[in-house]
Amino acid sequence: MIGHDSHGGHGAHQHGVANMNISIEHGNVELELDGALANFISFEYAPQSDAEIAEVKAMANQLNAIDQLFVLPKDANCVLKDLDLVSDVIEPQFLGQKTHTEEHKNHNTTHGNLMMTAQWQCQTPAKLQQLNVKLFEYFPNLEHVEVQMITPNGQKSAELSRKNSVIQW
């Protein structure tokens, strides 16, 4: 299981860079993506205007279309089981989520973060050999994703970018 630390457990708040943890075990794929809001929208504070709320909702809609962003091998027969979006400055309803407990908020008003967690169950785990990360196509402010993985083949780290967006294990 991937730990859930919404208070910036991955280090400094860094624009252009997101951190991703992936765990694969017995056909279960867990993914956690954490980064500055500025990687995903044009601001990093609680939305103030209707236009900013619309931008947040558009981002949330794109992130909820997770199969466009993270492409697992088709022949692994993976089904999304859970998807959660959390921000320390954006209200859950704007992210299309149910209300979260107060623990997710640090009341930081100027340098917000976004965390996404997702879980898939794959019927053919032997076919799980790569992940195509298409975040860069949808979020132009995102430059790099630093990946840490635990797979049946051991631990792996990688840095993904527009030119290198597939991780294999």
Side-chain angles (χ1 to χ4, degrees):
M1 279 294 200
I2 294 173
H4 188 81
D5 178 1
S6 62
H7 298 287
H10 295 289
H13 173 97
Q14 194 174 2
H15 292 196
V17 179
N19 296 290
M20 185 165 58
N21 295 317
I22 302 170
S23 171
I24 301 170
E25 185 177 25
H26 305 300
N28 294 309
V29 178
E30 294 186 27
L31 180 146
E32 177 184 272
L33 178 71
D34 187 17
L37 266 175
N39 295 334
F40 305 99
I41 55 177
S42 65
F43 56 93
E44 57 181 355
Y45 47 81
Q48 309 285 319
S49 67
D50 289 345
E52 289 174 345
I53 291 170
E55 186 176 351
V56 166
K57 288 181 176 181
M59 171 198 65
N61 287 340
Q62 186 61 65
L63 290 170
N64 278 300
I66 194 165
D67 292 336
Q68 295 175 3
L69 304 175
F70 300 99
V71 181
L72 291 161
K74 256 190 181 45
D75 50 359
N77 298 311
C78 300
V79 176
L80 182 68
K81 294 295 184 188
D82 188 40
L83 175 62
D84 192 29
L85 300 175
V86 176
S87 172
D88 51 356
V89 298
I90 297 176
E91 295 300 321
Q93 69 268 20
F94 295 140
L95 297 172
Q97 302 292 302
K98 294 177 183 154
T99 304
H100 290 281
T101 61
E102 205 48 33
E103 75 179 70
H104 291 294
K105 294 193 174 235
N106 67 10
H107 302 287
N108 180 348
T109 57
T110 58
H111 296 288
N113 292 300
L114 179 75
M115 178 183 282
M116 177 172 79
T117 56
Q119 298 176 338
W120 292 266
Q121 175 63 49
C122 303
Q123 298 303 313
T124 315
K127 300 290 185 176
L128 278 174
Q129 297 174 359
Q130 73 175 31
L131 174 66
N132 188 352
V133 178
K134 296 189 172 193
L135 289 166
F136 305 103
E137 295 176 26
Y138 297 95
F139 301 105
N141 294 337
L142 187 60
E143 298 170 12
H144 300 281
V145 176
E146 296 174 3
V147 181
Q148 298 292 322
M149 293 185 65
I150 299 173
T151 75
N153 298 328
Q155 295 184 9
K156 181 172 184 161
S157 63
E159 184 174 308
L160 301 179
S161 65
R162 280 172 183 57
K163 293 180 181 178
N164 176 32
S165 62
V166 177
I167 186 166
Q168 297 180 330
W169 55 89

